[in-house]
Each structure stands twice: as structure tokens, then as C-alpha cells.
Amino acid sequence: MNVLKQEKLYTIDDIYALPDGERAELIDGQIYYMAPPNYKHQRLVMELSGTLRDYIRSRSGNCEVLPAPFAVFLNADEKTYVEPDISVICDKNKLDDRGCTGAPDFIIEIVSPSSRRMDYSTKNALYSDAGVREYWIVDPEKEHTTVYRYEEDAAPAIFSFDYSIAVGIYKDLEIRISELLK
């Protein structure tokens, strides 16, 4: 008789039971631990968040810009919990004291050496399936940004940090990553 080893499936309760200071994400019942971010990563999170927030405020917009750590419950289950580096949420009904329930409109992940596979593969599929409208992968090591506009059902576009990238959910906002790092 062959017996298959059954993987343990984790839930949101397991994430909340982690020791203080330990960060992890939960995807399809599996825990993925997160390494602490470096200086360049955090600087990009700050500058991109500020650029988006300032743009939204200047137009009296109703979207919220929320940097990690911020809980995003993409599915209506207890098996998936992520902390995108930056989430833009335009439907205030998705927000409560726990975080965001449902897909943010726009997500930005800043690639770290330890998150490369997760950001480009696992999270890309996860965000697309959950209904995220736009997803940027900002890669400081390669100095380029990969842009997915899922609503357009088009191939991803890759831009160097020196290129002004149009934000798809805001037709009149462009961001040049190299300008943010000066």
C-alpha cells in the first residue's frame, strides 16, 4: 500500500500566531517567510507610495495607497494572505481594520533576491486570478519594471528605470523610477 504524505495546510490563524516581528505570507495554505527589506527596497516603497498618494490627493481621488505591512485577503477563504509592497484600493468597502478583503486595483512589488520567483511567478498568477487590475514588478537589480495590465489582456511590458511609465488605472500619471532614486 502506497501512502502519500499529506502536506499541512495553514490558515490565517497560523499567520497571526507567528512570533512578533516575523513576517510571512500565506498562499493556498502554504506559508512563505519574508526576509527583511533592504534600504533601496524601502526607499522605492516610500517614493512610489508618496508619488501615488500625492497624485490621488491632487485630484481629490478616493483611492487609498497602503504600503506593507498591510494585510490583503485576496480570496474569501482562510488560505491566502499577502502583504504587497504597495496596494492601491479604490473601493473603500474592501477596507476594514483587518486590511483589504478582495483584490486591490493596483499592486506594486519591489523585487528582493529572496522574492524574485515569488513576485514574477506565484504572485503574478495569484493577482491575475484575483482580479487585480494592474501589477508592477519593480526590479532594482535589473533596473527595470515589468507591467501587467490584466484588464487589457495583453502581454506584459518591460520598461527601464529611465522610461516614464504610464499608470494604467490613471491615464494621466506617469512615473519614472530613476527620478525617484535621485
Side-chain angles (χ1 to χ4, degrees), residues 5 11 14 34 37 44 106 123 127 132 156 160 175:
K5 180 181 173 193
T11 68
D14 295 305
M34 300 164 62
L44 280 164
F106 181 27
K123 286 187 176 179
Y127 294 158
V132 171
S160 81
I175 298 174

Side-chain angles (χ1 to χ4, degrees), residues 106-127:
F106 181 27
I107 288 177
I108 299 175
E109 294 283 8
I110 314 298
V111 175
S112 300
S114 64
S115 73
R116 182 169 299 285
R117 180 177 302 187
M118 179 71 74
D119 292 339
Y120 279 101
S121 181
T122 306
K123 286 187 176 179
N124 180 24
L126 186 68
Y127 294 158

Side-chain angles (χ1 to χ4, degrees), residues 36-47 181-182:
N38 65 26
Y39 166 73
K40 195 170 197 177
H41 179 281
Q42 287 305 94
R43 185 159 176 235
L44 280 164
V45 168
M46 181 69 181
E47 294 299 328
L181 295 173
K182 285 186 175 182

Side-chain angles (χ1 to χ4, degrees), residues 12-15 24-25 30 37 42-43 65 67 70 75-76 78 81 91 96 99 109 119-120 122 129 133 149 152 173:
I12 301 295
D13 291 337
D14 295 305
I15 291 291
E25 294 178 306
Q30 297 303 305
Q42 287 305 94
R43 185 159 176 235
V65 179
F70 180 73
N75 307 315
E78 292 291 311
Y81 161 101
D91 180 354
D96 62 27
E109 294 283 8
D119 292 339
Y120 279 101
T122 306
D129 291 345
R133 294 168 56 196
R149 293 194 178 109
E152 296 173 9
L173 173 60

Side-chain angles (χ1 to χ4, degrees), residues 36-78:
N38 65 26
Y39 166 73
K40 195 170 197 177
H41 179 281
Q42 287 305 94
R43 185 159 176 235
L44 280 164
V45 168
M46 181 69 181
E47 294 299 328
L48 284 162
S49 295
T51 299
L52 291 163
R53 182 205 58 226
D54 292 349
Y55 172 85
I56 292 165
R57 281 186 180 165
S58 74
R59 283 155 179 74
S60 301
N62 65 346
C63 299
E64 294 268 352
V65 179
L66 298 157
F70 180 73
V72 174
F73 305 92
L74 288 171
N75 307 315
D77 63 28
E78 292 291 311

Side-chain angles (χ1 to χ4, degrees), residues 6-7 15 20 24 40-41 61 65 90 100 105 120 128 130 142 168:
Q6 187 172 0
E7 281 188 28
I15 291 291
D20 283 347
K40 195 170 197 177
H41 179 281
V65 179
C90 299
C100 175
D105 294 271
Y120 279 101
S128 174
K142 295 185 178 188

